[in-house]
Structures are given as structure tokens and as C-alpha cells.
Amino acid sequence: MNVKDRIAEVVESALRSAAADGVLGPVDLPSAKIEYPREEKHGDYSTPVALESARVLKKSPLEIGAVLKPYIERSELADSVEVVKPGFINIFLSPEFLFSRMEDVLGEGDSYGRQAKPIPRRVNIEFVSANPTGPLNIVSARAAAVGDTLANLLEACGDIVEREFYVNDFGNQVILLGRSVLCRYRELEGIEMEFPEDGYHGEYVRDIAAHIRDNYEREVNAIASEEALIDFMAGRAVEYNVSGQKRDLERFNVNFQRWFRESVLHADESVEETLRTLVELGVIYEEEGKKVFRSTDFGDDKDRVVVRDDGRPTYLLADISYHRNKKERGYDLIVDIWGPDHHGYISRLAGAMKALGCPDEAFRVLIAQQVNLVMDGEMVKMSKRLGRFSTMRELIDEIGIDVARYFFIMRSMESHLDFDLALAKRQSSENPVFYLQYAHARICSIFREAEKRGFAYDAAGRDASRLRNPEALALLKLLARFPEEIADAAAAFEPHRIASFLMRLAQAYHRFYTEHRVLAEDQVEANSNLALCDCVRIVMKNGLGLLGVSAPEKM
RNA sequence: GCGCCCGUAGCUCAGCUGGAUAGAGCGUCGGACUUCGAAUCCGCAGGCCGCAGGUUCGACUCCUGCCGGGCGCGCCA
């Protein structure tokens, strides 16, 4: 159990004991709220339970606090407890307790921060899912970084997570891609052909055409009808794009367990079956030869067509079918991360999930907001069809994996992000990523130095009294908080919290380093300092690992 | 017109399910290396938290209405 939960337990049991002793009326609180005070002088943890229960208990918050104080003070975690001003109960952790946390860090090592769950949830998280019509763009890169980190966080909390990519390899856009490629193919053969009006204009389409000519020329020549030819081109182009996307993602440290093809749902009649299910549920009606899903019953502002009057299913039906498939795989939680242009789509799909009997809390759609790529202060607009876009690959080539991942993760995913490519590259030496990595490398360097000097580091030789200075205590507090930061970030689906936590940790470390000579003359002091450094190194490495950022030993 | 996201320091953004005197990075300016990595540290400056009401012990946070920016509002995917 992490420290925050333990504090909550202490406060809750204080309330119960006080009630049992008859010094306080019974209060019905689901769980005690525990906060981090903004200011140091207000303690390490703080709880407003006295304020919140004042009305029910018909006592002033300060009175309630005074009653609870001795009960809380009994805990070994607390050094002292203060009841102040409006009625906050502030708890100061005991240095001995903090010092004892180091055992966890050193003992658990690489797995410190990870928590087991008695009953792990099976979670499916689908993200990126870019159309297979071209290379991945910057928004996909953001989704990739955020989604993968979120998956890491859920795993660290003891869930079993599957990362999934949905490939929309079906429908008009694929045909359009096929036509665009065919056009470029003909061009290579010196044959003029009118380019489709809404076709894909990007240079990469020429690459695909060349790739097909190099590898499948014989097959192409054997195909008679233009329709079949377009189909063939489309199929090859999709494979080309998907494998390219896969390669870029792997390079970005993002590995999907499952690549799910939309075409499969059409081929194995899942789509029709889903329609039948919906009809049986009574949520489908017919109108002018079309089949319409009564999504307004589930909070949508308009009913949605799922089968056109010519019998072809719409994208929505396929998507419902896809999510039904996911639901039937038995996950406890299904998470989708979508782009900002799909937010209007949430209610209809969530409605369908509800109709299919999926509980609200088992399906969650997150929106990764837009990314404005800024180049020297100027906004670069992206449009795949017009062929003007910067790819994820270009981004990584420019600034590297670590910087890219960190930049995407350090902001909350709901915020619109201005990504200044030139800035990220130009100022790379003053980059926050390097600040974190430097803290890690610095520690590694100290251990190398210790070895060079022939100092025999022994963590068991550490002594609590040597770490009572403010800088060391600040570090110890942060180290103790790491597991709860992970739990909180995962519960809120907010990976960026880990980034800011690591920033604070690095800051605290650099401060400690400046104030104290780690390799002190005194053996006990040196061992104590090194043990603390080792703990920081472990947490920094584990934290960066969650973000998918490397923790170099030298820079 | 309707819906969603955003509006916080010069810039980019945090602010934990409503909490105490609103923070960080970058940028500006001024300090700190003969000693473990100065890719660092310390300090100064910088704010009617878009505007106006409301809810309560308490609002950057929740509600309503405006203003401004972005994105959606397909029988495209």
C-alpha cells in the first residue's frame, strides 16, 4: 500500500476510534481525502476531513481537528500533527519512516513503483489507429506517446493491458488510395491518366507506385479490369503503409499486441451479425429503406444511419461491430484514444456500447487534442490529401525519440499543443528531457567515481541521521511518493503527471547535489548519500521507463 | 445555430476528484566552478487565472451568460 493510502487509513481509523471512544459523533465518509499541501510549512500531507464533517458533527472544524490530532499522532508515520486556521489537519511524516522507505526502493529496484492488484483488470487500449493511407503524422505521434505511456502506467498498477491498433482497410478511402496509386503507376509507365479529384497527392504515393512496380509488375500486368487493378493497388498500398506505420511506431518504442483489420469484420459477417443483435435489442428502425440506430435513446443528439438504402453498412456499423468484438473478448475496461476531429462521434459509439450492455465505466474514450506544428514561430497546417504534412518519422529524425516522447507526454492530452520543431531541436541542450536524463547520468557518474577511488559502497552502511538535512528529506519524500503518483496518474488517465513528478525529482536532486558532497570523507555519510543517490537513480530510471524515455548513464 | 476542447507570467504549459499566500520550464537581468559532470545551482523581475454574475466556510477548479481561438456537427473513414 502506498503512503497516501496509509495516511488515509490512519485518518479514517482516527475518526472511527474517536467515535468509539465517544469523543466525536459518528461520521459517514466514504474515504478520507488526502492532499499535498502547497506549502511546506503545512505539512507533507493534509486532510480537510474536519472541514467537511463540521456540518454533520455540529462542531467547529478546529474542535474536530483537536479531537482527531492525538489519534493521528499515534501512527508511526506521523512525526507531528497540526490543526490550523480554517480546520485543516496537517501531517508531517517522521524522518524515520521516510528513511525506512529506502528499503522498498533498494529492495524492489527496477520494479519499485509497480503495484500488484488482487484482481487485475484486463484492459484494452486502442490508440493511433491512423488510416492506412499514408505515413503517420504528428497527431498520431502524440497519440502514440500518450497511449503507450498510459498503457505502461496501467500495467504498473497491476492491470493486464493489451495495446491495439485498428486498421481501417475498408471503404472509399482505400479505393481512392488505390486509384491515386494506379495513377502514379501509369505515370511511371509514361501513360497519362487523370488524377482523382480528391486523391492523395503526397509524394509518398509515387513511392508506393514505384514499390509496386519493382515487386509486383508481373501480377499487375496480369490483371485485366481496371476495377481489379485499383483493388490490387489499394491492397498493396495498404500493406505498404501499415508496415511503414508499424516500423515508425516500433522505433518510437510503441509496440502493439494486436493490429485489427476492419476488413475482417466485413469478411466474416460480424457486421451483419452486429446489426441483427441491434435489431433484436430493438434499437434499430427503418426509414426510407435505411436502417437507423436510435442513438438518441443513449444521449446522442441525432439518430444515426447504420445501413444505407443500397444495403451497404456505414462506417459506424463497422465500428460498433469492432467494439462489440472487443467487448466480447471480455475486457474489464476498453479505452480508446481518438483525435480531436472525432469527439462528436463519442456519444453515438458510447450509445451503441450501452445498448450492447457494456457498463458506462467499462468504456472510456479519451481525446488527444490537436498538435500545431510550429516552425520558426509559424504554424504549419497539415493535410494528408494535399500532401502537406510533417510525418512522425521526420519529427523523430529531427529531435530524437526521447525528446519527442517527453514533449508529447509532458502536457495534458486535452490541451492543444504548440510544438515548435525548430525550438525543440535548437534548444535541445536546455531541454527538460535532458534535465531529467542529466540527473540520472550524474548519479551514475558519481558511482563510477566512487569505484575509481576504490570506495566500497555498501547500502547497509547507511545511517538515517546523515540524511536529516532539508535537501535529503525532500528527496526521501519524493521517493516515497512515486508509487502513489503512478496510481493517481493511471486512475485519472493522465500520463503527464509522471513527467512533472520526475521534473520535481530531478530538481530536488540537483539541489541536493549542489549542497552536499556525496562522496564525503566520512564512510557512513558517504554510504548514506550514495544509498540516497541510488534510490533517486532507480526512481528516475523507472519513471523515464514508464514514459518510454531512455535513462542514459553518460551523456 | 448546436456540441466538444482551449483561454493562467513575454512564450509554452502545470495547478492533484472545490482547499491555505496561483507554480514550472524557456526567455530577460544579476550572482555561484582549483574539489564527486556548471547539460547544474541561487536570486530579481514578471499575474484583476478571458469578462460578468451565481453556488458555499472556501472557486483557477463547479453552474449560467457573454468574448476570443481551435475542432466537429455525412448515408466519409
Side-chain angles (χ1 to χ4, degrees):
Chain A
M1 190 187 300
N2 63 47
V3 179
K4 197 182 196 178
D5 290 343
R6 287 173 72 166
I7 300 273
E9 212 171 68
V10 166
V11 173
E12 284 156 25
S13 89
L15 282 164
R16 281 195 303 272
S17 303
D21 293 348
V23 288
L24 206 65
V27 210
D28 188 29
L29 284 176
S31 66
K33 194 188 289 178
I34 306 296
E35 296 163 347
Y36 304 115
R38 221 175 348 231
E39 286 195 57
E40 228 173 296
K41 66 175 178 186
H42 291 136
D44 301 313
Y45 290 87
S46 167
T47 178
V49 284
L51 286 159
E52 286 167 346
S53 56
R55 190 174 306 191
V56 191
L57 294 174
K58 291 180 183 131
K59 276 190 171 187
S60 84
L62 289 172
E63 279 178 289
I64 299 166
V67 172
L68 292 175
K69 179 172 144 86
Y71 288 94
I72 298 172
E73 274 174 339
R74 281 182 206 164
S75 162
E76 50 157 17
L77 315 195
D79 190 48
S80 64
V81 177
E82 283 178 2
V83 182
V84 288
K85 287 193 252 172
F88 289 103
I89 300 173
N90 298 330
I91 300 160
F92 295 78
L93 292 178
S94 94
E96 287 70 28
F97 172 72
L98 284 169
F99 185 72
S100 73
R101 296 299 86 203
M102 288 175 73
E103 284 169 36
D104 292 352
V105 185
L106 294 169
E108 295 173 29
D110 288 350
S111 57
Y112 178 68
R114 308 188 83 83
Q115 297 131 71
K117 259 187 194 160
I119 305 168
R121 293 181 299 180
R122 283 191 61 221
V123 181
N124 180 277
I125 171 165
E126 180 217 325
F127 55 108
V128 185
S129 296
N131 288 332
T133 52
L136 295 173
N137 61 23
I138 307 291
V139 182
S140 291
R142 181 180 200 176
V146 169
D148 185 56
T149 302
L150 183 56
N152 288 342
L153 287 173
L154 291 167
E155 278 172 344
C157 289
D159 290 328
I160 297 161
V161 184
E162 192 170 88
R163 295 161 175 78
E164 182 155 331
F165 188 118
Y166 184 49
V167 183
N168 297 125
D169 60 339
F170 188 89
N172 292 336
Q173 60 177 0
V174 176
I175 301 302
L176 193 58
L177 176 67
R179 271 211 231 109
S180 306
V181 173
L182 178 60
C183 226
R184 297 304 184 209
Y185 192 93
R186 291 298 185 220
E187 248 175 50
L188 290 174
E189 294 179 321
I191 301 168
E192 278 299 316
M193 190 175 158
E194 200 189 338
F195 199 80
E197 203 176 330
D198 307 322
Y200 293 88
H201 289 79
E203 271 308 304
Y204 67 91
V205 178
R206 287 198 165 86
D207 298 340
I208 298 172
H211 165 80
I212 294 175
R213 196 174 143 90
D214 290 348
N215 296 283
Y216 303 100
E217 194 173 12
R218 200 182 314 160
E219 286 91 327
V220 170
N221 290 335
I223 298 170
S225 80
E226 173 155 307
E227 201 179 328
L229 209 48
I230 288 171
D231 246 29
F232 183 84
M233 293 289 166
R236 293 295 136 238
V238 165
E239 293 319 309
Y240 181 93
N241 286 327
V242 169
S243 67
Q245 292 177 346
K246 201 171 194 167
R247 206 176 323 118
D248 290 346
L249 287 163
E250 279 168 4
R251 185 174 159 213
F252 204 43
N253 288 333
V254 181
N255 296 289
F256 288 91
Q257 279 79 54
R258 198 186 289 254
W259 292 72
F260 196 102
R261 309 261 172 159
E262 180 186 354
S263 55
V264 171
L265 296 167
H266 296 276
D268 72 0
E269 294 182 3
S270 297
V271 177
E272 288 89 330
E273 206 178 304
T274 299
L275 178 65
R276 278 200 297 279
T277 306
L278 292 172
V279 168
E280 280 163 24
L281 288 166
V283 294
I284 299 291
Y285 63 91
E286 294 209 27
E287 191 179 81
E288 296 166 19
K290 296 165 283 200
K291 294 191 171 35
V292 185
F293 169 43
R294 202 186 306 277
S295 56
T296 48
D297 281 0
F298 304 94
D300 197 0
D301 37 54
K302 197 178 152 189
D303 289 342
R304 308 290 171 174
V305 172
V306 288
V307 180
R308 304 172 176 97
D309 51 12
D310 63 2
R312 284 155 55 233
T314 63
Y315 176 78
L316 176 62
L317 184 58
D319 212 14
I320 295 173
S321 177
Y322 171 50
H323 282 80
R324 174 165 162 268
N325 179 296
K326 285 203 269 193
K327 179 179 169 288
E328 285 175 354
R329 283 186 239 153
Y331 301 109
D332 300 302
L333 176 65
I334 295 169
V335 180
D336 285 9
I337 299 180
W338 293 349
D341 50 338
H342 284 74
H343 62 70
Y345 195 78
I346 298 176
S347 53
R348 69 191 78 165
L349 188 63
M353 288 300 264
K354 231 180 286 180
L356 290 169
C358 180
D360 275 344
E361 60 279 7
F363 177 58
R364 178 80 183 256
V365 179
L366 306 172
I367 298 293
Q369 273 298 338
Q370 67 185 83
V371 178
N372 293 321
L373 192 66
V374 180
M375 203 84 89
D376 295 320
E378 201 179 318
M379 209 98 99
V380 181
K381 275 279 175 191
M382 287 168 281
S383 164
K384 238 188 237 185
R385 295 205 181 164
L386 294 176
R388 272 198 326 233
F389 60 95
S390 295
T391 63
M392 174 169 159
R393 191 180 313 168
E394 287 167 354
L395 179 76
I396 300 173
D397 288 344
E398 282 290 299
I399 63 177
I401 297 162
D402 289 340
V403 175
R405 281 197 68 131
Y406 189 84
F407 266 60
F408 284 127
I409 296 160
M410 73 179 173
R411 306 304 186 201
S412 75
M413 75 177 103
E414 299 85 39
S415 73
H416 301 199
L417 176 66
D418 279 358
F419 199 119
D420 194 324
L421 194 49
L423 196 78
K425 195 187 172 189
R426 172 157 35 88
Q427 301 190 329
S428 63
S429 65
E430 313 240 328
N431 216 294
V433 193
F434 294 107
Y435 183 79
L436 304 187
Q437 293 180 321
Y438 180 59
H440 183 268
R442 218 177 193 188
I443 294 170
C444 294
S445 160
I446 293 174
F447 276 93
R448 283 193 298 268
E449 178 67 20
E451 204 178 329
K452 205 190 322 176
R453 294 185 192 180
F455 181 82
Y457 162 58
D458 178 14
R462 68 185 189 276
D463 183 77
S465 65
R466 310 306 174 106
L467 300 176
R468 281 196 176 254
N469 57 76
E471 293 79 18
L473 285 171
L475 277 174
L476 287 170
K477 286 172 190 174
L478 286 169
L479 296 173
R481 261 169 69 166
F482 185 52
E484 64 208 46
E485 290 282 349
I486 292 174
D488 289 347
F493 300 104
E494 292 182 346
H496 74 273
R497 290 200 205 178
I498 301 302
S500 46
F501 170 79
L502 293 177
M503 178 61 76
R504 289 198 300 278
L505 181 66
Q507 218 156 32
Y509 180 73
H510 288 311
R511 200 163 295 165
F512 170 81
Y513 179 90
T514 309
E515 292 296 320
H516 304 278
R517 169 150 290 274
V518 176
L519 298 175
E521 295 287 329
D522 182 272
Q523 295 264 318
V524 177
E525 192 176 331
N527 268 317
S528 306
N529 287 338
L530 281 170
L532 180 61
C533 287
D534 204 19
C535 289
V536 174
R537 181 189 62 76
I538 288 166
V539 171
M540 188 59 75
K541 188 175 179 205
N542 294 356
L544 287 173
L546 288 169
L547 306 186
V549 175
S550 69
E553 297 183 1
K554 283 182 187 174
M555 292 177 70

